[in-house]
């Protein structure tokens, strides 16, 4: 059996809640109104009959004769005492002897004390001359009063019916209004399941449902962005692999066909392309480990001067060939940093290599380490060509092509800055870049204390 839709469940729940509420209100109102009306009738009768009894007593100075006329003349009462001709209305002497009674409370008998306690005293010149009792279980309104009660109950019934109809209509309206965002959300999820990852569901409120929709939109945007990056990454990797493989394949075919001789120079070219492939694969593996959180970082005390000397020796020849000035400085009190020595060497090597590619002959590359609050900052500053402002947020993206340095023709994999960001993040730090066209760039690496 097919289960009910959430729309039907909402409508039924709303209708059920409305019906229960209206029924309770109707019953409560009917009971209260009937009781209040009966109480009003009783109060009016007490006041009216009390006045009649007082008037009778003022005229005859006794009430003893009142007890005679019902028995002497059945169905007849003195003028103004006709209301006693209803069950449940009694006139009682102070000694609890019933003067005017009904079929249950016979005149001449003594009134039970339990019922007598609820009687209303009738006074004349400060003296109680009698008691008037209205016995509720036996008391019945007259036809006119009963008709009024029935009309009141009928009006309450029709008002309840109208309220139920309005509740159903409002339930349909409110349910549609409430479920429309859910319907839109369901449609968007269906489209995502078919591969359309970028979906935008309109946010119509700031409540919990609005927060869910906002979270869904953010998730959809993140998935679409990640998917686009994945597709771009796949295309970039294919491009990066194709170039060296094309060169290698061309040389090997030419050597096999005897078109070219296997000279040391040609073998060296093939070896260079193989090395380029190895670098690309190594860089991709490093990034994959970083993305999965499996990149091994072994932190220890690292001597800054040792790192600087290593880098100076490593880049001495290329710096000299381009007539560049490479310098290393640090604050006097800063001798050690807490990091993975091999990974930090890789970070600084990538930043220095990037700076060399973008700095013209005669330029300067300056590496400076300084203490900061809660950590150490290492800056790699160059006097090169600079980075356009619109590219600053993208330079750490993998295979980003706006930068000329991201070309395999320069012997690089195009992943250097992406690796820098991944390695520093694995250290718990952060990396930033500032640049100005024609004046150079500054890459800042922050490493937190242990």
């Amino acid at each position: 059996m097919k289960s009910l839709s959430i729309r039907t469940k909402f409508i039924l729940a709303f209708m059920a809640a409305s019906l229960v509420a209206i029924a309770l209100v109707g019953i409560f109102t009917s009971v209260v109104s009937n009781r209040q009306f009966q109480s009003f009738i009783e109060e009016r009768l007490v006041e009216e009959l009390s006045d009649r009894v007082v008037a009778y007593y003022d005229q005859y100075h006794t009430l003893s004769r009142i007890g005679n006329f019902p028995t002497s003349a059945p169905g007849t009462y003195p003028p103004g005492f006709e209301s006693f001709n209803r069950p449940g209305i009694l006139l009682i002497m102070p000694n609890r002897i019933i003067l005017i009674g009904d079929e249950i409370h016979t005149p001449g008998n003594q009134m039970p004390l339990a019922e007598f306690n609820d009687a209303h005293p009738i006074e004349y010149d400060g003296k109680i001359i009698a008691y008037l009792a209205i016995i509720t279980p036996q008391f019945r309104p007259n036809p006119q009063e009963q008709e009024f009660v029935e009309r009141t109950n009928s009006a309450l019934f029709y008002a309840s019916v109208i309220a139920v109809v309005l509740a159903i209509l409002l339930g349909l309206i409110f349910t549609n209004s409430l479920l429309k965002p859910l319907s839109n959300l369901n449609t968007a999820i269906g489209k995502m399941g078919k591969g359309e990852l970028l979906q935008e569901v309109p946010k119509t409120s700031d409540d919990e449902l609005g927060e869910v929709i906002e979270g869904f939109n953010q998730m959809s945007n993140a998935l679409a962005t990640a998917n686009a990056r994945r597709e771009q990454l796949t295309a970039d990797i294919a491009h990066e692999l194709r170039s060296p493989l094309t060169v290698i394949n061309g040389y090997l075919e030419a050597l096999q066909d005897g078109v070219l001789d296997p000279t040391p120079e040609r073998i060296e070219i093939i070896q260079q392309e193989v090395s380029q492939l190895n670098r690309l694969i190594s860089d991709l593996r490093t990034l994959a480990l970083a993305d999965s959180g499996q990149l091994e970082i072994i932190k220890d005390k690292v001597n800054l001067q040792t790192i600087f000397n290593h880098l100076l020796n490593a880049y001495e020849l290329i710096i000299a060939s381009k007539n560049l000035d490479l310098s290393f400085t640090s604050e006097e009190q800063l001798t050690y940093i807490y990091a993975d020595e091999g990974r930090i060497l890789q970070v600084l090597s990538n930043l220095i290599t990037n700076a060399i590619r973008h700095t013209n002959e005669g330029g300067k590359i300056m590496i400076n380490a300084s203490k900061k609050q809660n950590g150490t900052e290492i800056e790699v500053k160059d006097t090169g060509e600079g980075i356009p402002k619109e590219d600053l947020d993208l330079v750490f993206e993998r295979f980003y092509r706006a930068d000329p340095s991201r070309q395999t023709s320069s012997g690089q994999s195009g992943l250097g800055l992406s690796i820098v960001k991944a390695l520093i993040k694995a250290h718990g730090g952060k990396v930033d870049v500032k640049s100005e066209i024609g004046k150079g760039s500054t890459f800042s690496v922050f490493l937190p204390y242990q």
Side-chain angles (χ1 to χ4, degrees), residues 354-355 358-360 363-366 380-389 392 433-443:
N354 185 70
H358 291 282
T359 304
N360 296 326
K364 294 182 180 181
I365 300 174
M366 296 153 283
V380 179
K381 184 176 182 180
D382 63 64
T383 58
E385 60 197 33
I387 304 171
K389 186 176 181 180
L392 285 177
V433 58
K434 296 179 182 178
S435 185
E436 188 174 349
I437 294 296
K439 294 186 177 180
S441 305
T442 301
F443 285 83

Side-chain angles (χ1 to χ4, degrees), residues 4 43 90 129 146-147 177 183 216 225 228 255 257 261 296 306 337 364 367 371 375-376 417 445:
L4 297 176
E43 290 176 1
L90 312 176
I129 58 175
Q146 186 64 37
E147 182 181 2
S177 174
S183 178
F216 171 82
T225 302
L255 291 173
D257 295 339
D261 296 326
E296 186 178 18
T306 301
I337 60 173
K364 294 182 180 181
I367 292 85
K371 285 185 177 181
T376 303
L417 294 180
V445 172

Side-chain angles (χ1 to χ4, degrees), residues 311-419:
L311 292 171
L312 187 60
N313 293 331
Y315 287 95
E316 183 178 5
L317 293 179
I318 190 171
I319 288 295
S321 66
K322 292 193 65 175
N323 191 26
L324 298 176
D325 181 19
L326 177 62
S327 62
F328 296 87
T329 59
S330 63
E331 293 182 355
E332 184 177 350
Q333 302 87 350
L334 184 58
T335 306
Y336 295 93
I337 60 173
Y338 190 75
D340 186 315
E341 183 173 359
R343 299 300 186 183
I344 290 301
L345 278 172
Q346 187 177 3
V347 166
L348 295 179
S349 294
N350 286 353
L351 291 177
I352 293 173
T353 300
N354 185 70
I356 291 172
R357 289 201 305 271
H358 291 282
T359 304
N360 296 326
E361 289 191 11
K364 294 182 180 181
I365 300 174
M366 296 153 283
I367 292 85
N368 178 63
S370 59
K371 285 185 177 181
K372 298 293 181 182
Q373 186 177 6
N374 300 325
T376 303
E377 183 179 75
I378 301 176
E379 289 185 341
V380 179
K381 184 176 182 180
D382 63 64
T383 58
E385 60 197 33
I387 304 171
K389 186 176 181 180
E390 61 272 17
D391 293 336
L392 285 177
D393 294 333
L394 303 172
V395 294
F396 295 104
E397 296 292 331
R398 299 168 191 183
F399 299 112
Y400 183 63
R401 292 296 180 183
D403 191 330
S405 69
R406 301 293 181 103
Q407 303 294 333
T408 57
S409 60
S410 63
Q412 300 298 320
S413 66
L415 298 171
L417 294 180
S418 299
I419 291 176

Side-chain angles (χ1 to χ4, degrees), residues 1-13:
M1 181 179 178
K2 186 178 180 180
S3 62
L4 297 176
S5 66
I6 189 171
R7 181 186 300 276
T8 304
K9 291 179 181 178
F10 263 105
I11 293 175
L12 291 177

Side-chain angles (χ1 to χ4, degrees), residues 49-63 66 91-94 120-132:
L49 294 176
S50 296
D51 291 341
R52 295 294 183 181
V53 170
V54 170
Y56 185 92
Y57 187 86
D58 183 61
Q59 181 177 358
Y60 298 103
H61 301 288
T62 182
L63 296 178
I66 292 181
L91 184 64
I92 312 160
M93 293 296 290
H120 303 275
I122 301 174
E123 296 183 358
Y124 180 84
D125 287 341
K127 181 180 69 172
I128 297 176
I129 58 175
Y131 286 87
L132 185 64

Side-chain angles (χ1 to χ4, degrees), residues 203-211 214:
K203 181 182 177 182
T204 57
S205 62
D206 293 326
D207 54 11
E208 291 83 354
L209 183 57
E211 293 177 358
E214 184 177 1

